């Protein structure tokens, strides 16, 4: 099973600032990496697939990068609606699909 | 628009059973692989099970293998999760989700639409 590790667990950022979230895989997942956003009481929402491709309707301020075992999600200028928990997930070698533990982006 | 609506959650004693349903609309259900993902209270996401678009392949997390059964009825646009021998640690919100496909290509395991979830609580 591929273990996904996200850091930091919590990120405190001011509105308008850049946020950089990290995700590491225990073995290579190539570019089969997705990012999701989850707000309280809501289902997760797909942001990025293929490590760097934005899903339909996702604003350009969200960008993904990386391949192999190291990945980054960058939010270029945080808006109020972006404060949420973000999960990375690999789909290269499954079952099982595996998710990271999440990074909570909170208002500084 | 795509809609996934789960139902069937509730409170059950350890060792009991629940059957979850996920009603799909707004897309060609019979063309997409479907998943169940769960989230224990205050915890992260855990993948539970997958079924291929035609029901020919099914995969399970080790934590539920032999106790949970995923199935689908393409004539009713509905996905199911039969949960037997339930344990306290199975308590979670259960989401159904579909595989993401775009431009004629499917990215199996990336999940683009999720339902709102249904809470299953296992408690004595």
């Amino acid at each position: 099973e591929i273990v996904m590790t996200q850091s930091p667990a919590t990120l405190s950022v001011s509105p308008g600032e850049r946020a950089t979230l990290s995700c590491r895989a225990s073995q290579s997942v190539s570019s089969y990496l997705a990012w999701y956003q989850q707000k309280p009481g809501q289902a997760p929402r797909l942001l990025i697939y293929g490590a760097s491709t934005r899903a339909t309707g996702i604003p350009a301020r969200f960008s993904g990068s990386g391949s192999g075992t190291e990945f980054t999600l960058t939010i270029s200028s945080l808006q109020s609606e972006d404060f949420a928990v973000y999960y990375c997930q690999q789909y290269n070698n499954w079952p099982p699909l595996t998710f990271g533990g999440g990074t909570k982006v909170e208002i500084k | 628009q795509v809609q996934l609506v789960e139902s069937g959650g509730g409170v059950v004693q350890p060792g009991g059973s629940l059957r979850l349903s996920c009603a799909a609309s707004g897309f060609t259900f019979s063309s997409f692989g479907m998943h169940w993902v769960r989230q224990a209270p205050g915890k992260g996401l855990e993948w539970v099970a997958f079924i291929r678009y035609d029901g020919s392949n099914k995969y399970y997390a080790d934590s539920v293998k032999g106790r949970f059964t995923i199935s689908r009825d393409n004539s009713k646009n509905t996905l199911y999760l039969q949960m037997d021998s339930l344990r306290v640690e199975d308590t979670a919100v259960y989401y159904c989700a579909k595989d993401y496909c775009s431009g004629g290509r499917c990215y199996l395991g990336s999940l683009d639409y999720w339902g709102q979830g249904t809470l299953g609580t296992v408690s004595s």
Side-chain angles (χ1 to χ4, degrees):
Chain A
E1 172 176 327
I2 297 177
V3 177
M4 307 300 293
T5 303
Q6 291 186 242
S7 61
T10 304
L11 187 62
S12 298
V13 185
S14 299
E17 289 188 340
R18 174 187 296 257
T20 302
L21 290 65
S22 296
C23 174
R24 173 177 292 177
S26 61
Q27 63 189 77
S28 177
V29 299
S30 185
S31 294
Y32 294 93
L33 191 284
W35 288 95
Y36 301 87
Q37 176 194 68
Q38 187 179 33
K39 298 179 182 179
Q42 296 186 18
R45 172 193 183 196
L46 178 65
L47 298 176
I48 301 285
Y49 65 96
S52 61
T53 305
R54 281 188 301 277
T56 304
I58 302 303
R61 64 181 181 273
F62 291 93
S63 63
S65 62
S67 66
T69 62
E70 301 283 342
F71 301 89
T72 300
L73 175 70
T74 301
I75 312 171
S76 59
S77 176
L78 271 159
Q79 307 297 303
S80 57
E81 61 267 30
D82 300 335
F83 292 96
V85 179
Y86 293 83
Y87 294 95
C88 63
Q89 175 235 327
Q90 69 82 22
Y91 55 100
N92 180 57
N93 187 356
W94 67 284
L97 293 176
T98 49
F99 293 86
T103 292
K104 181 180 181 181
V105 178
E106 65 177 23
I107 301 174
K108 186 175 182 180
Chain B
Q1 73 280 21
V2 172
Q3 277 202 306
L4 297 169
V5 180
E6 302 94 337
S7 60
V11 181
V12 64
Q13 291 188 335
S17 298
L18 281 174
R19 189 194 196 206
L20 307 184
S21 299
C22 170
S25 60
F27 66 104
T28 306
F29 179 71
S30 59
S31 296
F32 289 85
M34 296 294 297
H35 302 254
W36 288 99
V37 177
R38 68 184 180 183
Q39 187 169 36
K43 302 298 184 182
L45 300 169
E46 179 188 17
W47 174 80
V48 173
F50 164 81
I51 185 168
R52 191 175 144 100
Y53 67 94
D54 57 1
S56 61
N57 285 88
K58 304 174 185 181
Y59 304 128
Y60 298 93
D62 285 347
S63 58
V64 307
K65 201 173 294 182
R67 301 187 298 122
F68 289 13
T69 302
I70 189 171
S71 63
R72 65 191 297 158
D73 186 335
N74 285 344
S75 68
K76 295 182 178 179
N77 290 343
T78 303
L79 175 72
Y80 302 100
L81 185 68
Q82 177 66 42
M83 305 191 295
D84 298 320
S85 303
L86 283 163
R87 305 167 180 168
V88 171
E89 56 265 33
D90 294 319
T91 295
V93 173
Y94 286 77
Y95 297 100
C96 62
K98 65 177 279 295
D99 275 330
Y100 178 50
C101 298
S102 176
R105 179 181 173 183
C106 287
Y107 302 85
L108 301 185
S110 65
L111 311 176
D112 63 342
Y113 283 95
W114 300 57
Q116 85 289 349
T118 187
L119 175 62
T121 302
V122 186
S123 174
S124 55

